[in-house]
DNA sequence: CGCCACTTTGAATTAGCTCAAATTCCGTGG
DNA sequence: CCACGGAATTTGAGCTAATTCAAAGTGGCG
């Protein structure tokens, strides 16, 4: 792998393209060795991975009540914060979609996260007092701005608020690790399938329809996020369409219908199976 | 890429075997217990990256004073917690060395993190009330066990303690994202070079000698962590040795001397350069 | 209507994987 | 102390998934 950052530019961070957001990797997490697996029907991982729509609403409510955060409307391409900016705020995404882009000194650029409604942004800035990546809106949306110091002060009064934040950070850590696992262990086709599945799950969890998703990123951005070239993304999508696992809307290739989510997961497994006899790791 | 989880097993997760490095005894281990090693001569570059040895000592001191955490001695192969275990504690690594392994339901296994003295373990469990990965000792060491609830209670009294924890979580997020970027944007050779560089920097930051590192993982484990096969790791290391960027100890190939860290970084850049004209990713 | 960015698809190339064999290590037991 | 055996490592030789290069197709928008 290793797709060179070069030529095929990631397009547009700041471009005007319409939004995008996330999906990441969803995939089913471990069957907890000894555990109580929750939520039926939904991916184990995803089940707890994030709060459901209801919970998100509650958190937003709580924040609104305790801190009356400032609002900010963003449009596609707007940069909420830049790598290197002084850290002062955390942000909560009320509507819209963001991508998180890591930058290396030598010019490499990597999409390391995609965020949906209810997600927090800016945790990366706490460690060093400066954000370590760019947060870029991929669509029109609204973020709530929370002063970190004020938030901490509020937390001292309300432990439940603190718990909410810790859960959000913990979830972020889990998501990032899942991303790494996907990139390291899945072949390209499976990664794309999982990407779609994750996106759909993310929408579903928030109460939005999951059978009809609008990719808010170019093939180049998806490829960057998944660690492959835009051509490979395109080929993978074409293959999925050929096998009727997805359908493109009549016009434009950004709208994707997913008739059967489970079929997508099955495809993923098939990709894996066709190369690995029997793990038995450990 | 996509190295199949199959055949080449990752060795040992849950096993109790001493696996590996029995080498453990015969080499320069980390600094003694409570020595507050000052970390002189550390890499300027890395200085701000994370807490230095001094800061780590202070944090340990603070924790010791406020919570008198329980201690646990671990030996190579010991599992601190399993994916699925009920979350109750966070852990701080006082001495030793851990790997964090993510598991997927279908048997894939992915090393998603490596931890050194001063690092926290267990944040991944906060989100869902269950740990989402395995934490496995790779050498003899000591961890301090901190009851999460008690820690939160203590934080309500001491905001500075809370800040410490948030910084640790934030750093973890940053590290994970850097890993993803490495895997996605660097060719195999560069990834191995960066891995060594990172390891050395981690040691230096903690006041240990960085020119002489003992890899406590098999080639298979390193490969898994870096998203490549063990053969590729081996070839990359051989290449680095051929170019005199590293030297193996007379006996055994687990001990690596790094004459010049900057040369390693230069090598990395060279790997990149030899394939990419000019980014300009805007 | 026409430009431009995005996408698709094909063909050639290659980094990294798979398979295989030889070598070195290291722990164990005689 | 040395021989034996399993595990880890190295190295070579194909093979292949994914990349690179190239060209044609499509859609959105001024």
């Amino acid at each position: 792998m290793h797709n060179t950052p070069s030529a095929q530019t990631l397009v547009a961070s700041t471009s005007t393209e319409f939004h995008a957001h996330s999906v990441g990797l969803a995939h089913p997490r471990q069957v907890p060795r000894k555990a109580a697996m929750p939520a039926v029907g939904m991916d184990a991982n995803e089940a707890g991975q994030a709060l459901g729509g209801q919970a998100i609403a509650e958190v937003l409510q709580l924040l609104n009540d305790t801190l009356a955060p400032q609002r900010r409307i963003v449009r596609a391409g707007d940069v909420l914060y830049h790598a290197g900016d002084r850290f002062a705020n955390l942000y909560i995404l009320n509507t819209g979609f963001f991508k998180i882009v890591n930058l290396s000194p030598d010019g490499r650029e990597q999409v390391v996260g995609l965020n949906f409604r209810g997600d927090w942004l800016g945790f990366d800035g706490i460690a060093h007092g400066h954000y370590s990546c760019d947060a870029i809106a991929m669509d029109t949306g609204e973020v709530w701005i929370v002063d970190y110091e004020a938030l901490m002060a509020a937390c001292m009064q309300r432990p439940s608020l603190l718990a909410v934040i810790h859960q959000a950070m913990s979830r972020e850590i889990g998501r990032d690790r899942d991303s790494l696992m996907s990139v390291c262990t899945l072949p390209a086709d499976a990664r794309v399938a999982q990407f779609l599945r994750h996106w759909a799950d993310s929408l579903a969890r928030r109460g939005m329809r999951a059978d009809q998703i609008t990719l808010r990123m170019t093939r180049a951005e998806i490829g960057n996020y998944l660690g492959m070239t835009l051509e490979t993304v395109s080929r993978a999508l074409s293959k999925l369409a050929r096998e009727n696992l997805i359908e493109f809307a009549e016009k434009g290739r950004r709208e994707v219908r997913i008739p059967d989510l489970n079929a997508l997961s099955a495809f993923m497994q098939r990709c894996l199976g066709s190369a690995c006899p029997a793990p038995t790791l450990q």
Side-chain angles (χ1 to χ4, degrees), chain A residues 4 187-188 227-229 231-232 235 251-253:
Chain A
T4 85
M228 67 189 76
T229 60
E231 292 95 331
T232 301
R235 280 185 247 269
K251 289 260 175 154
R253 274 145 229 73

mmCIF file of all heavy atoms in Angstrom, chain A residues 4 187-188 227-229 231-232 235 251-253, chain D residues 17-23 25-29:
data_model
loop_
_atom_site.group_PDB
_atom_site.id
_atom_site.type_symbol
_atom_site.label_atom_id
_atom_site.label_comp_id
_atom_site.label_asym_id
_atom_site.label_seq_id
_atom_site.Cartn_x
_atom_site.Cartn_y
_atom_site.Cartn_z
ATOM 1 N N THR A 4 0.931 7.380 -2.326
ATOM 2 C CA THR A 4 1.701 8.597 -2.254
ATOM 3 C C THR A 4 0.815 9.810 -2.211
ATOM 4 O O THR A 4 -0.188 9.884 -2.871
ATOM 5 C CB THR A 4 2.569 8.735 -3.484
ATOM 6 O OG1 THR A 4 1.792 9.324 -4.498
ATOM 7 C CG2 THR A 4 3.035 7.403 -3.929
ATOM 8 N N PRO A 187 -8.434 -6.238 2.955
ATOM 9 C CA PRO A 187 -8.090 -5.900 1.582
ATOM 10 C C PRO A 187 -8.945 -4.724 1.122
ATOM 11 O O PRO A 187 -9.968 -4.416 1.740
ATOM 12 C CB PRO A 187 -8.418 -7.172 0.813
ATOM 13 C CG PRO A 187 -9.402 -7.908 1.646
ATOM 14 C CD PRO A 187 -9.107 -7.537 3.072
ATOM 15 N N ALA A 188 -8.523 -4.083 0.082
ATOM 16 C CA ALA A 188 -9.168 -2.855 -0.378
ATOM 17 C C ALA A 188 -10.688 -2.957 -0.518
ATOM 18 O O ALA A 188 -11.419 -2.112 -0.003
ATOM 19 C CB ALA A 188 -8.542 -2.401 -1.688
ATOM 20 N N GLY A 227 -6.672 4.536 3.006
ATOM 21 C CA GLY A 227 -5.339 4.071 2.666
ATOM 22 C C GLY A 227 -5.252 3.381 1.324
ATOM 23 O O GLY A 227 -4.634 2.327 1.196
ATOM 24 N N MET A 228 -5.859 3.955 0.328
ATOM 25 C CA MET A 228 -5.751 3.410 -1.025
ATOM 26 C C MET A 228 -5.951 4.546 -2.023
ATOM 27 O O MET A 228 -6.305 5.654 -1.642
ATOM 28 C CB MET A 228 -6.800 2.313 -1.242
ATOM 29 C CG MET A 228 -8.225 2.812 -1.235
ATOM 30 S SD MET A 228 -9.484 1.513 -1.241
ATOM 31 C CE MET A 228 -9.430 0.925 0.451
ATOM 32 N N THR A 229 -5.737 4.271 -3.293
ATOM 33 C CA THR A 229 -5.856 5.341 -4.283
ATOM 34 C C THR A 229 -7.304 5.542 -4.704
ATOM 35 O O THR A 229 -8.143 4.672 -4.494
ATOM 36 C CB THR A 229 -5.046 5.000 -5.540
ATOM 37 O OG1 THR A 229 -5.555 3.799 -6.094
ATOM 38 C CG2 THR A 229 -3.589 4.839 -5.216
ATOM 39 N N GLU A 231 -8.476 5.456 -7.624
ATOM 40 C CA GLU A 231 -8.863 4.458 -8.623
ATOM 41 C C GLU A 231 -9.327 3.166 -7.956
ATOM 42 O O GLU A 231 -10.294 2.546 -8.388
ATOM 43 C CB GLU A 231 -7.697 4.133 -9.565
ATOM 44 C CG GLU A 231 -7.282 5.264 -10.486
ATOM 45 C CD GLU A 231 -6.138 6.065 -9.902
ATOM 46 O OE1 GLU A 231 -6.028 6.137 -8.659
ATOM 47 O OE2 GLU A 231 -5.343 6.619 -10.684
ATOM 48 N N THR A 232 -8.630 2.808 -6.916
ATOM 49 C CA THR A 232 -9.006 1.575 -6.222
ATOM 50 C C THR A 232 -10.382 1.718 -5.575
ATOM 51 O O THR A 232 -11.183 0.781 -5.585
ATOM 52 C CB THR A 232 -7.949 1.214 -5.156
ATOM 53 O OG1 THR A 232 -6.690 1.054 -5.806
ATOM 54 C CG2 THR A 232 -8.297 -0.075 -4.453
ATOM 55 N N ARG A 235 -12.904 1.399 -8.353
ATOM 56 C CA ARG A 235 -13.064 0.006 -8.788
ATOM 57 C C ARG A 235 -13.840 -0.807 -7.772
ATOM 58 O O ARG A 235 -14.702 -1.619 -8.121
ATOM 59 C CB ARG A 235 -11.700 -0.626 -9.036
ATOM 60 C CG ARG A 235 -11.102 -0.256 -10.377
ATOM 61 C CD ARG A 235 -9.793 -1.007 -10.616
ATOM 62 N NE ARG A 235 -8.643 -0.122 -10.628
ATOM 63 C CZ ARG A 235 -8.162 0.456 -11.724
ATOM 64 N NH1 ARG A 235 -8.728 0.232 -12.898
ATOM 65 N NH2 ARG A 235 -7.116 1.253 -11.659
ATOM 66 N N LYS A 251 -28.583 9.821 -11.184
ATOM 67 C CA LYS A 251 -27.631 10.863 -11.546
ATOM 68 C C LYS A 251 -26.538 10.983 -10.483
ATOM 69 O O LYS A 251 -26.813 10.970 -9.306
ATOM 70 C CB LYS A 251 -28.352 12.215 -11.644
ATOM 71 C CG LYS A 251 -29.257 12.323 -12.851
ATOM 72 C CD LYS A 251 -28.571 13.099 -13.962
ATOM 73 C CE LYS A 251 -29.450 13.080 -15.208
ATOM 74 N NZ LYS A 251 -29.229 14.222 -16.089
ATOM 75 N N GLY A 252 -25.357 11.112 -10.948
ATOM 76 C CA GLY A 252 -24.272 11.337 -9.998
ATOM 77 C C GLY A 252 -23.893 10.062 -9.271
ATOM 78 O O GLY A 252 -24.718 9.213 -9.013
ATOM 79 N N ARG A 253 -22.650 9.942 -8.969
ATOM 80 C CA ARG A 253 -22.204 8.718 -8.283
ATOM 81 C C ARG A 253 -21.953 8.946 -6.818
ATOM 82 O O ARG A 253 -21.214 8.219 -6.203
ATOM 83 C CB ARG A 253 -20.913 8.227 -8.909
ATOM 84 C CG ARG A 253 -21.120 7.378 -10.082
ATOM 85 C CD ARG A 253 -20.090 7.552 -11.104
ATOM 86 N NE ARG A 253 -20.752 7.749 -12.378
ATOM 87 C CZ ARG A 253 -21.372 8.869 -12.695
ATOM 88 N NH1 ARG A 253 -21.384 9.894 -11.875
ATOM 89 N NH2 ARG A 253 -21.995 8.965 -13.851
ATOM 90 P P DA D 17 -4.851 -11.206 -6.034
ATOM 91 O OP1 DA D 17 -5.244 -12.444 -5.344
ATOM 92 O OP2 DA D 17 -5.402 -10.868 -7.374
ATOM 93 O "O5'" DA D 17 -5.110 -9.992 -5.045
ATOM 94 C "C5'" DA D 17 -4.350 -9.906 -3.843
ATOM 95 C "C4'" DA D 17 -3.924 -8.468 -3.601
ATOM 96 O "O4'" DA D 17 -2.861 -8.091 -4.516
ATOM 97 C "C3'" DA D 17 -5.030 -7.437 -3.799
ATOM 98 O "O3'" DA D 17 -4.926 -6.509 -2.735
ATOM 99 C "C2'" DA D 17 -4.725 -6.811 -5.159
ATOM 100 C "C1'" DA D 17 -3.212 -6.921 -5.252
ATOM 101 N N9 DA D 17 -2.671 -7.132 -6.605
ATOM 102 C C8 DA D 17 -3.218 -7.859 -7.619
ATOM 103 N N7 DA D 17 -2.456 -7.914 -8.698
ATOM 104 C C5 DA D 17 -1.340 -7.173 -8.360
ATOM 105 C C6 DA D 17 -0.162 -6.860 -9.062
ATOM 106 N N6 DA D 17 0.099 -7.273 -10.305
ATOM 107 N N1 DA D 17 0.749 -6.095 -8.438
ATOM 108 C C2 DA D 17 0.499 -5.682 -7.185
ATOM 109 N N3 DA D 17 -0.565 -5.918 -6.417
ATOM 110 C C4 DA D 17 -1.458 -6.678 -7.071
ATOM 111 P P DA D 18 -5.981 -5.342 -2.534
ATOM 112 O OP1 DA D 18 -6.160 -5.185 -1.083
ATOM 113 O OP2 DA D 18 -7.147 -5.602 -3.411
ATOM 114 O "O5'" DA D 18 -5.217 -4.075 -3.090
ATOM 115 C "C5'" DA D 18 -3.913 -3.789 -2.563
ATOM 116 C "C4'" DA D 18 -3.223 -2.788 -3.446
ATOM 117 O "O4'" DA D 18 -2.791 -3.408 -4.684
ATOM 118 C "C3'" DA D 18 -4.057 -1.569 -3.842
ATOM 119 O "O3'" DA D 18 -3.336 -0.425 -3.460
ATOM 120 C "C2'" DA D 18 -4.213 -1.714 -5.349
ATOM 121 C "C1'" DA D 18 -2.944 -2.470 -5.723
ATOM 122 N N9 DA D 18 -2.992 -3.205 -6.972
ATOM 123 C C8 DA D 18 -3.990 -3.998 -7.462
ATOM 124 N N7 DA D 18 -3.728 -4.516 -8.639
ATOM 125 C C5 DA D 18 -2.466 -4.033 -8.938
ATOM 126 C C6 DA D 18 -1.618 -4.216 -10.042
ATOM 127 N N6 DA D 18 -1.923 -4.964 -11.101
ATOM 128 N N1 DA D 18 -0.413 -3.597 -10.027
ATOM 129 C C2 DA D 18 -0.103 -2.849 -8.959
ATOM 130 N N3 DA D 18 -0.806 -2.596 -7.860
ATOM 131 C C4 DA D 18 -1.996 -3.228 -7.918
ATOM 132 P P DT D 19 -3.777 1.042 -3.761
ATOM 133 O OP1 DT D 19 -3.666 1.724 -2.466
ATOM 134 O OP2 DT D 19 -5.038 1.051 -4.528
ATOM 135 O "O5'" DT D 19 -2.603 1.572 -4.706
ATOM 136 C "C5'" DT D 19 -1.257 1.299 -4.320
ATOM 137 C "C4'" DT D 19 -0.314 1.660 -5.454
ATOM 138 O "O4'" DT D 19 -0.489 0.726 -6.545
ATOM 139 C "C3'" DT D 19 -0.559 3.051 -6.038
ATOM 140 O "O3'" DT D 19 0.681 3.748 -6.131
ATOM 141 C "C2'" DT D 19 -1.189 2.786 -7.399
ATOM 142 C "C1'" DT D 19 -0.607 1.426 -7.767
ATOM 143 N N1 DT D 19 -1.489 0.633 -8.647
ATOM 144 C C2 DT D 19 -0.983 0.144 -9.829
ATOM 145 O O2 DT D 19 0.154 0.338 -10.196
ATOM 146 N N3 DT D 19 -1.881 -0.578 -10.575
ATOM 147 C C4 DT D 19 -3.195 -0.861 -10.268
ATOM 148 O O4 DT D 19 -3.896 -1.525 -11.026
ATOM 149 C C5 DT D 19 -3.654 -0.318 -9.019
ATOM 150 C C7 DT D 19 -5.068 -0.558 -8.582
ATOM 151 C C6 DT D 19 -2.798 0.393 -8.275
ATOM 152 P P DT D 20 0.681 5.242 -6.545
ATOM 153 O OP1 DT D 20 1.796 5.870 -5.816
ATOM 154 O OP2 DT D 20 -0.688 5.792 -6.483
ATOM 155 O "O5'" DT D 20 1.063 5.150 -8.097
ATOM 156 C "C5'" DT D 20 2.241 4.465 -8.491
ATOM 157 C "C4'" DT D 20 2.354 4.507 -10.010
ATOM 158 O "O4'" DT D 20 1.396 3.605 -10.599
ATOM 159 C "C3'" DT D 20 2.092 5.885 -10.631
ATOM 160 O "O3'" DT D 20 3.112 6.121 -11.582
ATOM 161 C "C2'" DT D 20 0.725 5.736 -11.275
ATOM 162 C "C1'" DT D 20 0.711 4.256 -11.648
ATOM 163 N N1 DT D 20 -0.622 3.619 -11.732
ATOM 164 C C2 DT D 20 -0.923 2.822 -12.809
ATOM 165 O O2 DT D 20 -0.151 2.632 -13.729
ATOM 166 N N3 DT D 20 -2.166 2.245 -12.774
ATOM 167 C C4 DT D 20 -3.115 2.382 -11.788
ATOM 168 O O4 DT D 20 -4.198 1.793 -11.869
ATOM 169 C C5 DT D 20 -2.747 3.235 -10.691
ATOM 170 C C7 DT D 20 -3.712 3.455 -9.569
ATOM 171 C C6 DT D 20 -1.535 3.804 -10.708
ATOM 172 P P DC D 21 3.244 7.542 -12.240
ATOM 173 O OP1 DC D 21 4.694 7.766 -12.405
ATOM 174 O OP2 DC D 21 2.402 8.496 -11.513
ATOM 175 O "O5'" DC D 21 2.609 7.305 -13.688
ATOM 176 C "C5'" DC D 21 3.043 6.196 -14.468
ATOM 177 C "C4'" DC D 21 2.184 6.076 -15.711
ATOM 178 O "O4'" DC D 21 0.944 5.409 -15.395
ATOM 179 C "C3'" DC D 21 1.803 7.410 -16.372
ATOM 180 O "O3'" DC D 21 2.028 7.287 -17.762
ATOM 181 C "C2'" DC D 21 0.328 7.557 -16.028
ATOM 182 C "C1'" DC D 21 -0.117 6.093 -16.025
ATOM 183 N N1 DC D 21 -1.350 5.793 -15.264
ATOM 184 C C2 DC D 21 -2.226 4.839 -15.776
ATOM 185 O O2 DC D 21 -1.952 4.275 -16.839
ATOM 186 N N3 DC D 21 -3.356 4.550 -15.097
ATOM 187 C C4 DC D 21 -3.612 5.166 -13.945
ATOM 188 N N4 DC D 21 -4.732 4.834 -13.306
ATOM 189 C C5 DC D 21 -2.731 6.148 -13.391
ATOM 190 C C6 DC D 21 -1.611 6.431 -14.083
ATOM 191 P P DA D 22 1.796 8.524 -18.712
ATOM 192 O OP1 DA D 22 2.846 8.409 -19.749
ATOM 193 O OP2 DA D 22 1.657 9.751 -17.896
ATOM 194 O "O5'" DA D 22 0.394 8.193 -19.374
ATOM 195 C "C5'" DA D 22 0.194 6.901 -19.953
ATOM 196 C "C4'" DA D 22 -1.217 6.798 -20.477
ATOM 197 O "O4'" DA D 22 -2.125 6.428 -19.399
ATOM 198 C "C3'" DA D 22 -1.779 8.097 -21.072
ATOM 199 O "O3'" DA D 22 -2.435 7.795 -22.284
ATOM 200 C "C2'" DA D 22 -2.750 8.574 -20.019
ATOM 201 C "C1'" DA D 22 -3.272 7.239 -19.492
ATOM 202 N N9 DA D 22 -3.901 7.297 -18.183
ATOM 203 C C8 DA D 22 -3.506 8.013 -17.072
ATOM 204 N N7 DA D 22 -4.298 7.865 -16.045
ATOM 205 C C5 DA D 22 -5.282 6.999 -16.498
ATOM 206 C C6 DA D 22 -6.418 6.449 -15.884
ATOM 207 N N6 DA D 22 -6.772 6.702 -14.621
ATOM 208 N N1 DA D 22 -7.189 5.623 -16.628
ATOM 209 C C2 DA D 22 -6.840 5.365 -17.887
ATOM 210 N N3 DA D 22 -5.789 5.816 -18.579
ATOM 211 C C4 DA D 22 -5.051 6.638 -17.816
ATOM 212 P P DA D 23 -2.822 8.938 -23.321
ATOM 213 O OP1 DA D 23 -1.945 8.734 -24.492
ATOM 214 O OP2 DA D 23 -2.848 10.249 -22.613
ATOM 215 O "O5'" DA D 23 -4.301 8.558 -23.713
ATOM 216 C "C5'" DA D 23 -4.710 7.190 -23.670
ATOM 217 C "C4'" DA D 23 -6.195 7.147 -23.437
ATOM 218 O "O4'" DA D 23 -6.479 7.199 -22.021
ATOM 219 C "C3'" DA D 23 -6.945 8.328 -24.059
ATOM 220 O "O3'" DA D 23 -8.167 7.861 -24.593
ATOM 221 C "C2'" DA D 23 -7.210 9.231 -22.863
ATOM 222 C "C1'" DA D 23 -7.474 8.174 -21.804
ATOM 223 N N9 DA D 23 -7.387 8.640 -20.429
ATOM 224 C C8 DA D 23 -6.506 9.532 -19.877
ATOM 225 N N7 DA D 23 -6.703 9.745 -18.601
ATOM 226 C C5 DA D 23 -7.780 8.940 -18.291
ATOM 227 C C6 DA D 23 -8.479 8.713 -17.093
ATOM 228 N N6 DA D 23 -8.172 9.304 -15.940
ATOM 229 N N1 DA D 23 -9.509 7.839 -17.126
ATOM 230 C C2 DA D 23 -9.811 7.238 -18.280
ATOM 231 N N3 DA D 23 -9.225 7.369 -19.478
ATOM 232 C C4 DA D 23 -8.211 8.246 -19.403
ATOM 233 P P DG D 25 -15.450 8.115 -24.692
ATOM 234 O OP1 DG D 25 -16.151 7.110 -25.520
ATOM 235 O OP2 DG D 25 -15.150 9.467 -25.214
ATOM 236 O "O5'" DG D 25 -16.253 8.251 -23.335
ATOM 237 C "C5'" DG D 25 -16.295 7.125 -22.446
ATOM 238 C "C4'" DG D 25 -16.967 7.562 -21.169
ATOM 239 O "O4'" DG D 25 -16.079 8.400 -20.411
ATOM 240 C "C3'" DG D 25 -18.241 8.379 -21.396
ATOM 241 O "O3'" DG D 25 -19.214 7.918 -20.470
ATOM 242 C "C2'" DG D 25 -17.823 9.814 -21.076
ATOM 243 C "C1'" DG D 25 -16.755 9.579 -20.021
ATOM 244 N N9 DG D 25 -15.743 10.621 -19.905
ATOM 245 C C8 DG D 25 -14.921 11.128 -20.888
ATOM 246 N N7 DG D 25 -14.087 12.035 -20.441
ATOM 247 C C5 DG D 25 -14.386 12.140 -19.093
ATOM 248 C C6 DG D 25 -13.811 12.965 -18.098
ATOM 249 O O6 DG D 25 -12.903 13.786 -18.207
ATOM 250 N N1 DG D 25 -14.399 12.750 -16.858
ATOM 251 C C2 DG D 25 -15.418 11.872 -16.614
ATOM 252 N N2 DG D 25 -15.861 11.805 -15.356
ATOM 253 N N3 DG D 25 -15.960 11.089 -17.528
ATOM 254 C C4 DG D 25 -15.395 11.282 -18.753
ATOM 255 P P DT D 26 -20.718 8.389 -20.638
ATOM 256 O OP1 DT D 26 -21.555 7.210 -20.338
ATOM 257 O OP2 DT D 26 -20.874 9.168 -21.893
ATOM 258 O "O5'" DT D 26 -20.847 9.405 -19.421
ATOM 259 C "C5'" DT D 26 -20.502 8.959 -18.118
ATOM 260 C "C4'" DT D 26 -20.649 10.112 -17.166
ATOM 261 O "O4'" DT D 26 -19.503 10.982 -17.238
ATOM 262 C "C3'" DT D 26 -21.880 10.978 -17.426
ATOM 263 O "O3'" DT D 26 -22.690 10.891 -16.266
ATOM 264 C "C2'" DT D 26 -21.320 12.376 -17.649
ATOM 265 C "C1'" DT D 26 -19.943 12.298 -17.006
ATOM 266 N N1 DT D 26 -18.880 13.162 -17.543
ATOM 267 C C2 DT D 26 -18.213 14.000 -16.668
ATOM 268 O O2 DT D 26 -18.467 14.069 -15.486
ATOM 269 N N3 DT D 26 -17.227 14.761 -17.235
ATOM 270 C C4 DT D 26 -16.850 14.767 -18.568
ATOM 271 O O4 DT D 26 -15.943 15.502 -18.957
ATOM 272 C C5 DT D 26 -17.591 13.880 -19.425
ATOM 273 C C7 DT D 26 -17.256 13.823 -20.875
ATOM 274 C C6 DT D 26 -18.567 13.128 -18.885
ATOM 275 P P DG D 27 -24.089 11.518 -16.181
ATOM 276 O OP1 DG D 27 -24.979 10.623 -15.400
ATOM 277 O OP2 DG D 27 -24.489 11.999 -17.520
ATOM 278 O "O5'" DG D 27 -23.747 12.768 -15.274
ATOM 279 C "C5'" DG D 27 -23.019 12.549 -14.069
ATOM 280 C "C4'" DG D 27 -22.727 13.892 -13.449
ATOM 281 O "O4'" DG D 27 -21.650 14.539 -14.189
ATOM 282 C "C3'" DG D 27 -23.923 14.840 -13.480
ATOM 283 O "O3'" DG D 27 -24.052 15.407 -12.183
ATOM 284 C "C2'" DG D 27 -23.553 15.878 -14.538
ATOM 285 C "C1'" DG D 27 -22.028 15.862 -14.501
ATOM 286 N N9 DG D 27 -21.364 16.172 -15.756
ATOM 287 C C8 DG D 27 -21.670 15.709 -17.004
ATOM 288 N N7 DG D 27 -20.858 16.155 -17.935
ATOM 289 C C5 DG D 27 -19.962 16.956 -17.242
ATOM 290 C C6 DG D 27 -18.853 17.702 -17.705
ATOM 291 O O6 DG D 27 -18.430 17.800 -18.866
ATOM 292 N N1 DG D 27 -18.216 18.377 -16.671
ATOM 293 C C2 DG D 27 -18.596 18.340 -15.352
ATOM 294 N N2 DG D 27 -17.873 19.046 -14.511
ATOM 295 N N3 DG D 27 -19.629 17.646 -14.909
ATOM 296 C C4 DG D 27 -20.263 16.977 -15.895
ATOM 297 P P DG D 28 -25.191 16.360 -11.842
ATOM 298 O OP1 DG D 28 -25.808 15.912 -10.577
ATOM 299 O OP2 DG D 28 -26.026 16.590 -13.053
ATOM 300 O "O5'" DG D 28 -24.354 17.675 -11.551
ATOM 301 C "C5'" DG D 28 -23.245 17.604 -10.631
ATOM 302 C "C4'" DG D 28 -22.588 18.962 -10.558
ATOM 303 O "O4'" DG D 28 -21.866 19.229 -11.797
ATOM 304 C "C3'" DG D 28 -23.585 20.106 -10.389
ATOM 305 O "O3'" DG D 28 -23.012 21.053 -9.493
ATOM 306 C "C2'" DG D 28 -23.733 20.667 -11.803
ATOM 307 C "C1'" DG D 28 -22.357 20.416 -12.405
ATOM 308 N N9 DG D 28 -22.330 20.171 -13.848
ATOM 309 C C8 DG D 28 -23.192 19.401 -14.579
ATOM 310 N N7 DG D 28 -22.889 19.345 -15.858
ATOM 311 C C5 DG D 28 -21.739 20.131 -15.963
ATOM 312 C C6 DG D 28 -20.939 20.446 -17.096
ATOM 313 O O6 DG D 28 -21.082 20.086 -18.267
ATOM 314 N N1 DG D 28 -19.871 21.281 -16.754
ATOM 315 C C2 DG D 28 -19.611 21.741 -15.497
ATOM 316 N N2 DG D 28 -18.551 22.525 -15.359
ATOM 317 N N3 DG D 28 -20.345 21.454 -14.429
ATOM 318 C C4 DG D 28 -21.394 20.645 -14.733
ATOM 319 P P DC D 29 -23.813 22.246 -8.952
ATOM 320 O OP1 DC D 29 -23.408 22.484 -7.551
ATOM 321 O OP2 DC D 29 -25.232 22.060 -9.327
ATOM 322 O "O5'" DC D 29 -23.216 23.415 -9.850
ATOM 323 C "C5'" DC D 29 -21.796 23.564 -9.947
ATOM 324 C "C4'" DC D 29 -21.476 24.751 -10.831
ATOM 325 O "O4'" DC D 29 -21.414 24.337 -12.221
ATOM 326 C "C3'" DC D 29 -22.552 25.860 -10.760
ATOM 327 O "O3'" DC D 29 -21.901 27.117 -10.751
ATOM 328 C "C2'" DC D 29 -23.340 25.658 -12.043
ATOM 329 C "C1'" DC D 29 -22.255 25.160 -12.992
ATOM 330 N N1 DC D 29 -22.763 24.340 -14.118
ATOM 331 C C2 DC D 29 -22.069 24.370 -15.330
ATOM 332 O O2 DC D 29 -21.063 25.065 -15.436
ATOM 333 N N3 DC D 29 -22.536 23.615 -16.360
ATOM 334 C C4 DC D 29 -23.623 22.869 -16.208
ATOM 335 N N4 DC D 29 -24.032 22.140 -17.251
ATOM 336 C C5 DC D 29 -24.340 22.824 -14.971
ATOM 337 C C6 DC D 29 -23.882 23.567 -13.964
#
